[in-house]
Amino acid sequence: MSASRPSTHTRLTTDRLVLRPWDLHEVGAVITARRSVDWADDFPAEGDRVIAHLFEQHPEWLDDHSQRLVIERDSGLTVGSIGLFLPPADAQVEIGYGLVESRRGRGYATEAVRALTDFALTLPGVHTVVAEAELSNPASLRVLEKAGFRRCAAEDAENAARFMTTRADRG
């Protein structure tokens, strides 16, 4: 397989971030631990490695809509990943995200979640975006609340809370 760069129309740009699909070169670099000058010192995190291994097993999942890298606009460095779990089921998609420790506490996760959620709600067949956060991770709970999600289920046996937002919520 050859690595290809995603076209610019697939990028989502916020005030401080660019969210763009992974390419095969980046997947290979994460899997083989080949450092890139375009990565924050602490990228990839464990979640990024999990996503890369999933892409290795399912390269067809590399598309314009699902998993994206989070790139800091000022530095050009990759600082995390965010993604949608497609295809939608019952008009819902789930979002997941993670930033490297060095970039946490700056509002990047909230900014990225808002942007990808807004994008997801424009996709055909998607009316609702859901997310799950561990109760032991109050920062992640706050990210979802700040991004306009509301808690939709009490904690479950896994000590996690479910959140959701809909097209109507975002008016």
Side-chain angles (χ1 to χ4, degrees), residues 8-20:
T8 56
H9 79 278
T10 62
R11 293 172 185 246
L12 298 176
T13 303
T14 68
D15 289 341
R16 301 176 299 158
L17 305 171
V18 173
L19 312 178
R20 68 159 178 77

Side-chain angles (χ1 to χ4, degrees), residues 57-77:
Q57 296 167 11
H58 303 280
E60 69 276 11
W61 292 358
L62 286 167
D63 64 25
D64 291 350
H65 302 305
S66 61
Q67 301 295 320
R68 295 167 183 262
L69 293 170
V70 177
I71 298 150
E72 192 175 52
R73 287 180 65 184
D74 285 346
S75 69
L77 297 176

Side-chain angles (χ1 to χ4, degrees), residues 81-157:
S81 59
I82 187 168
L84 301 172
F85 298 94
L86 295 170
D90 298 326
Q92 293 185 4
V93 295
E94 185 169 351
I95 192 169
Y97 54 91
L99 292 178
V100 294
E101 191 171 336
S102 65
R103 297 314 196 272
R104 293 179 189 156
R106 300 179 186 196
Y108 286 173
T110 300
E111 194 171 318
V113 168
R114 279 185 189 138
L116 192 57
T117 298
D118 289 344
F119 172 78
L121 290 170
T122 69
L123 296 174
V126 176
H127 178 271
T128 303
V129 178
V130 297
E132 192 170 284
E134 294 178 11
L135 296 173
S136 62
N137 186 348
S140 193
L141 298 171
R142 281 192 307 275
V143 163
L144 292 168
E145 290 166 350
K146 289 180 186 177
F149 284 69
R150 66 185 186 287
R151 205 177 279 212
C152 63
E155 59 189 79
D156 62 19

